[in-house]
Amino acid sequence: MSRPLKTVIIGGGHRSLIYAELAKLKPDEMEIVGVADPNEFRRNQIAEYFSIPAEHVFTSAEELAAVPKFADAAINGTMDHIHVETSIPLLKAGYDILLEKPFAVNEEEMRKLVECAEENGRKIMVCFVLRYAPFYQMIKETIVLGEIGEIINIQTVEHVSYHHMSTSHIRGKWRNEEECHASMLLAKCCHDIDIMMWLMGSDDPVRVSSFGSLMQFRPENAPENSGTRCLVDCPLADTCLYSAKRLYIDHPDRWEFYVWDKLEDKENATIEDKINLLKTSPYGICAYKSDNNVVDHQSIAVQFRSGATGTHNMIGGAAVPQRKIHIIGTKGEISGTLESGKFTVSLIDPRPNCEHLDREVDTQISDDTHGGGDIKLVEDFVNYARDDVMSLSCTSIKDSVKGHLTVFRADKSMKNNGQVEEIIL
């Protein structure tokens, strides 16, 4: 039996801990032996949970990388804009990396990290977890088997729910591109663009155009008589759709890793603690008067080398969170919704009356946040790092370049009124 992959955690946030949970579920596959995080409470909490010795607890990736190598790999779940600067010391120190998406926030950094991994002979697997959702895996298998023929067009749609939009992209960590260094398309939809590229296989994207804007969440659209802070000076706290009281105080246990992160050192934070936090926190500001500057809707159109086309539409503030997909090939088509776990394969069938033959596929998804893919992704990383085995879903850093570059060029196009941008891999 292979030994467990000795792994360190870099950035002890929500996603890192989800991936690291494999060490608890299957200790024969992964062992957490170190942690680096600037937050003292968080790193000590993680050290205690995984029984990490004090000499393997660090404040930064650089500090960890400076000591003699004591593990095989790292889970890097830091914020988007420091993925590259925290990964390079680890690569040079000899660690393979499971790296949260997006792996870079601009093209220059993207190419720098790819080059560093190659120069040091290290593996980086990017956390495009939707590739591991049974829904998308079975769609990929259907395409690979040739059931719908050659792809002519692929359409993906993401409806970002009003509460997710409010929490992450209007008030939260990804609300301001200058601060988080990531666009809405990169932070939220790089999953969807990656899925598009993955399903298109070896057919590379060659050009892209995009339109989008911040249309809804602007000061001029604020409700009449609204204040600037929901729990300080707003008379609409009980009626506004985006009231911090209605979204967070009325659902106090839902936002543990986002809204309440400043209270994580309080063992039993009260409602009063949470109300007081919202009076000064970015999460308590009026959704229409935040300093957010990322788009709330964006559409992109991609042309592939074969002549096939693809589109992606992101709409923020939707009532129902959904990811939809529709793929049309020369022999049939596939359409479905991730949240249902079901898709329909419709094949051209002229026999009865020039109609089509339909087959519904139910992937029977689990209740995790990415359609059943989280733990499968980490197990795949173990197989890749330890045994050099890559599955159909495995996303090496080279595999994810097409999606990242498409996003970077799409955002450039949007800022230039939809000007077509070439994609040069």
Side-chain angles (χ1 to χ4, degrees), residues 202-213:
S202 60
D203 196 356
D204 294 336
V206 293
R207 55 187 59 88
V208 64
S209 178
S210 180
F211 294 93
S213 68

Side-chain angles (χ1 to χ4, degrees), residues 119-304:
E119 287 178 351
N120 289 277
R122 305 321 311 167
K123 300 169 185 172
I124 298 178
M125 181 172 147
V126 184
C127 296
F128 280 119
V129 67
L130 289 186
R131 290 194 184 196
Y132 294 86
F135 175 81
Y136 289 114
Q137 283 189 323
M138 294 183 73
I139 288 176
K140 176 70 172 178
E141 290 167 7
T142 303
I143 292 170
V144 170
L145 288 172
E147 284 196 62
I148 65 168
E150 298 298 315
I151 295 176
I152 301 169
N153 176 264
I154 180 168
Q155 305 160 29
T156 59
V157 177
E158 181 172 11
H159 296 168
V160 185
S161 71
Y162 64 96
H163 47 81
H164 190 150
M165 188 73 188
S166 167
T167 304
S168 294
H169 304 286
I170 298 173
R171 292 165 163 144
K173 295 177 181 178
W174 293 275
R175 71 186 185 277
N176 187 291
E177 196 168 339
E178 283 70 46
E179 288 188 15
C180 71
H181 305 278
S183 69
M184 180 71 177
L185 190 66
L186 183 65
K188 191 72 186 77
C189 300
C190 61
H191 275 307
D192 307 274
I193 306 305
D194 176 73
I195 287 291
M196 181 188 293
M197 299 302 147
W198 181 51
L199 296 180
M200 291 301 295
S202 60
D203 196 356
D204 294 336
V206 293
R207 55 187 59 88
V208 64
S209 178
S210 180
F211 294 93
S213 68
L214 175 57
M215 177 179 173
Q216 183 180 176
F217 302 101
R218 303 165 62 95
E220 58 267 33
N221 295 328
E224 188 176 355
N225 299 321
S226 60
T228 57
R229 284 194 163 274
C230 301
L231 279 79
V232 175
D233 61 356
C234 187
L236 309 177
D238 291 313
T239 57
C240 179
L241 292 178
Y242 290 92
S243 162
K245 177 184 179 297
R246 297 182 72 187
L247 291 176
Y248 310 132
I249 297 302
D250 291 353
H251 305 281
D253 299 324
R254 182 166 187 167
W255 310 102
E256 180 181 359
F257 294 99
Y258 298 93
V259 180
W260 313 127
D261 62 335
K262 301 299 183 186
L263 298 174
E264 64 183 356
D265 58 341
K266 284 183 175 286
E267 188 171 345
N268 294 298
T270 65
I271 289 293
E272 288 71 26
D273 291 329
K274 293 177 179 181
I275 289 172
N276 287 331
L277 178 63
L278 288 179
K279 289 179 179 179
T280 58
S281 161
Y283 295 102
I285 200 165
C286 175
Y288 300 92
K289 300 171 184 176
S290 167
D291 64 346
N292 66 307
N293 62 8
V294 296
V295 300
D296 54 25
H297 67 292
Q298 186 171 355
S299 300
I300 80 168
V302 184
Q303 183 179 16
F304 291 86

Side-chain angles (χ1 to χ4, degrees), residues 80 83 99-105 126 128 182 186-187 190 404 408:
D80 301 346
H83 283 170
L99 183 56
E100 186 55 279
K101 62 81 195 169
F103 76 75
V105 296
V126 184
F128 280 119
L186 183 65
C190 61
H404 279 73
F408 297 146

